[in-house]
Amino acid sequence: MNKKKLVNVLMGVLALLLIVGMAYQFTPNLGDLFGRKQEGTPALTVNGTTVTVEDLEAVRRSNPVLSSTDTGLLADDFKTYVVAQKVEQTLVTNAVKDIKVSRNDVNAKVKEVREANDLTDNKKWTDALQGAGLTDATYREQVRQSLAIERKVDELKKAVPAPTEAELRAYYDLNPERFQTDARIQGRQIVVADKAKAQDLLKQLQGGADFAALAGANSTEFKDRGGALGPVENGVPRPVAQVALPSEVGAAAFALTEGGLTDVVESGGKFYIVKVEKYLPPAPKPFEDAKSDLTTAVTEQKQNAALEAWVRDLKKDLKVEYKDINWKTENPTVASVAGQDIPYSDLVGQVVNNQQFAGLLQQVPAEQAAGLVNGILKPQTVQQLIQAYAAPTIAERLKLNLTGTRQELAAALAAYGGRNVKVSAADISAFYAQNKAQYENPASAAVAEANFKDQAGAVAFRNSFSGGNFVTAASKAGGTVSERGTVTAGDGALSEELNAAVFTAKSLKDAGEGSLSDVVKVGERFVVLYVTDLKPATTQPLSAVRDEIEAQVLAQKKSEAGQKFLETQVATLKPTDNLKAVLAAQEKRVAAQTPKAPAKTDTPKSDTSTPDTPAQEGTGQGDTGTPAEGTSDR
């Protein structure tokens, strides 16, 4: 088994326990296979509990972001994060020491891990532990700690009071999009196995024929109820959601928001025609119908808040003493609001766990990434932290029945600020006009390609072929044929030149059931394409995408209004933002700690030297060992 994978397996049972926003994970104490505990080098103490250098290094190694650089501003940030994480881990571990976990419970969990990962053989198990830097005893102790924390979390969750009616109503009012019925249609369908028959039936329907009668006489599905998509009640089909239809058929039918007939739609070897008699857009569920889901959502928020408060309380009497100066960190107040100081480690934690930051580190050097993070990401994140820390005070001041962690409360306040936003028909039309390209269905065609070694052969074939079997005719003319199948304009299946010859050129030549392209030179070959079933690009009408646009524009306008409301409310609390001063102090401190490279100096030549005599490397007047000009001090 791969060692890295194995380490992940072993750490997996110790789990990434999310205590609200705090990523909590155990890091192994290093030990040998004979059960001798290796204390390691003390780095700091947390309320008297020793944390070793090895413990901290294990945290660093566990995260590729943290181990990506060990110099400069980012390395200083990462050290702050590592220490803060290990401090929190230690506080939590100490807080559950009195929780009893039986040996049987530990044995059962260890057995579960061994069986799940094919490690029941004792030698394989011992080898696996050794590869992870663990002994059986230290691993079992960490399993015990993990189970103790799980029990504490369960205890805290069970102690949370049930949501009140007011809390449920507040969540319902601020999150209407989470409690909506799906769009539905009342309609009928005709399903046949023959395309020509389907097209003939469509013509009859377009001419005014009765849909239910034709469905009863011809459809292979639901013919006994005149093709009704749902059971007929009071003379009309019961509404159905889009999932009741094959994907292609559903997309065509639900685009008819004003009702009407679809074209013939092929799916799974069958041919469908759907008549939409009535389109029923998504609508909010009544409060009582949504109550079960509401209770689940609000209960989860209240549990998150309880866990966050627990961890926050653990830090009230925190005392950290540094034993190794190399692990001493600065954790100044980066901002303050509503009588609360926000530590710099909170900001660094948000940055380290930001997916965009992880992607940035893979694209640019650490020094450049630090500049971008300090100039863009950190200022934005500080404002988000200020809003989160201020949220409980604002919610209480406004007497809102909101629940959740600081961040959840901030999101709820933003939703409250945007709750009355509406979208007009003009908003929808303007968005459609500005973004029309995203509603285009690109052209498509079935394409076969004939390659010729010389242009004359390709031209002769193109001039002579007027229909029939393209593959046979092209092969007989000396061409090599490959069938590309159905391709879409711009999807990369064809080269740029061939794509243009099919979908852009106006010179396609009719040839039987299809068309021939011009002769196209591609590298050293000459190509003629045979195009059938060519479908030009189309743009979905506004009526087909109105609901989608309305939801998108509404979400955007609500977000903007909500953010403005939240910023206004936070401003009344007069927050202070110390980020610039904190970063300036960090830059000065890191620069002072960075070893200076020895300066390069010119090596003087003695009076007896002649211009034609080069100075010797590493020597100078009096043989002082000063590097000579043009060399580096290694």
Side-chain angles (χ1 to χ4, degrees), residues 340-370:
Q340 303 169 93
D341 293 336
I342 304 174
Y344 184 63
S345 56
D346 275 17
L347 170 61
V348 174
Q350 294 286 324
V351 171
V352 169
N353 291 295
N354 186 297
Q355 292 183 347
Q356 291 179 334
F357 173 63
L360 178 66
L361 284 180
Q362 297 175 355
Q363 300 174 35
V364 300
E367 298 83 0
Q368 186 178 348

Side-chain angles (χ1 to χ4, degrees), residues 413-426:
L413 286 169
Y416 178 79
R419 68 194 184 284
N420 294 324
V421 169
K422 305 294 182 186
V423 175
S424 67

Side-chain angles (χ1 to χ4, degrees), residues 244-328:
L245 297 167
S247 58
E248 305 92 339
V249 181
F254 276 76
L256 300 174
T257 57
E258 304 297 326
L261 288 171
T262 67
D263 200 347
V264 173
V265 182
E266 181 179 2
S267 179
K270 300 177 183 178
F271 299 90
Y272 294 74
I273 305 169
V274 177
K275 180 182 181 181
V276 177
E277 297 176 354
K278 188 175 184 180
Y279 176 82
L280 303 171
K285 289 181 181 178
F287 176 76
E288 291 300 325
D289 292 351
K291 209 164 187 179
S292 175
D293 292 337
L294 282 166
T295 301
T296 299
V298 176
T299 298
E300 183 178 342
Q301 283 196 337
K302 297 184 75 169
Q303 291 173 343
N304 289 344
L307 295 174
E308 183 181 67
W310 178 60
V311 176
R312 187 165 61 245
D313 287 343
L314 293 178
K315 297 179 182 180
K316 283 183 178 179
D317 299 319
L318 173 64
K319 184 177 181 181
V320 178
E321 295 182 359
Y322 291 91
K323 306 298 183 181
D324 185 338
I325 194 66
N326 293 315
W327 280 99
K328 183 171 177 25

Side-chain angles (χ1 to χ4, degrees), residues 23-240:
Y24 184 88
Q25 69 179 47
F26 285 98
T27 53
N29 294 316
L30 300 179
D32 62 22
L33 291 177
F34 305 101
R36 293 196 303 267
K37 188 176 181 182
Q38 194 174 45
E39 295 294 345
T41 306
L44 53 96
T45 62
V46 179
N47 292 350
T49 300
T50 298
V51 174
T52 67
V53 170
E54 289 79 6
D55 292 334
L56 295 168
E57 288 292 353
V59 176
R60 191 204 301 270
R61 290 194 304 272
S62 70
N63 187 325
V65 170
L66 301 176
S67 55
S68 62
T69 183
D70 57 4
T71 60
L73 296 174
L74 287 184
D76 189 70
D77 279 349
F78 295 163
K79 184 169 71 171
T80 297
Y81 177 82
V82 167
V83 170
Q85 286 293 292
K86 194 59 190 175
V87 166
E88 289 184 344
Q89 292 173 12
T90 305
L91 287 172
V92 170
T93 302
N94 286 345
V96 300
K97 279 184 176 178
D98 295 336
I99 294 180
K100 303 299 182 184
V101 178
S102 72
R103 179 177 295 181
N104 287 340
D105 289 340
V106 173
N107 290 342
K109 177 60 72 173
V110 172
K111 181 181 178 183
E112 178 186 323
V113 173
R114 293 181 66 171
E115 289 177 348
N117 296 283
D118 190 25
L119 295 172
T120 54
D121 177 77
N122 286 336
K123 185 177 185 311
K124 290 173 70 174
W125 175 242
T126 302
D127 291 344
L129 291 170
Q130 184 178 23
L134 295 167
T135 69
D136 185 76
T138 56
Y139 179 70
R140 288 174 185 274
E141 171 58 19
Q142 293 183 27
V143 170
R144 189 202 68 77
Q145 293 175 347
S146 176
L147 292 173
I149 291 174
E150 288 180 9
R151 291 178 185 182
K152 180 62 178 179
V153 170
D154 288 342
E155 175 189 317
L156 291 167
K157 287 182 175 181
K158 288 177 181 177
V160 170
T164 66
E165 190 83 359
E167 290 169 342
L168 295 177
R169 176 65 68 176
Y171 192 91
Y172 175 79
D173 290 341
L174 296 181
N175 299 276
E177 70 285 349
R178 299 186 187 183
F179 305 101
Q180 296 225 344
T181 62
D182 293 327
R184 295 169 300 157
I185 58 172
Q186 290 177 336
R188 300 174 185 272
Q189 68 176 9
I190 294 175
V191 185
V192 295
D194 181 72
K195 184 176 182 179
K197 181 177 182 179
Q199 291 173 331
D200 178 64
L201 290 169
L202 179 61
K203 288 181 181 179
Q204 295 182 50
L205 293 168
Q206 291 171 336
D210 182 85
F211 195 103
L214 282 184
N218 298 278
S219 184
T220 60
E221 298 181 19
F222 306 146
K223 63 189 306 177
D224 58 329
R225 59 191 193 203
L229 294 172
V232 177
E233 299 174 346
N234 299 320
V236 296
R238 182 189 298 170
V240 297

Side-chain angles (χ1 to χ4, degrees), residues 603-604 614-629 631:
T603 303
Q616 297 299 309
E617 181 178 344
T619 66
Q621 190 173 16
D623 194 20
T624 62
T626 304
E629 181 179 3
T631 67

Side-chain angles (χ1 to χ4, degrees), residues 447-470:
V447 177
E449 174 183 334
N451 292 269
F452 294 86
K453 294 181 179 179
D454 59 86
Q455 185 176 16
V459 171
F461 169 71
R462 183 180 189 273
N463 290 338
S464 64
F465 183 75
S466 58
N469 190 305
F470 176 79

Side-chain angles (χ1 to χ4, degrees), residues 468-488:
N469 190 305
F470 176 79
V471 174
T472 300
S475 299
K476 187 174 180 180
T480 302
V481 180
S482 58
E483 297 190 63
R484 298 298 190 103
T486 300
V487 299
T488 301

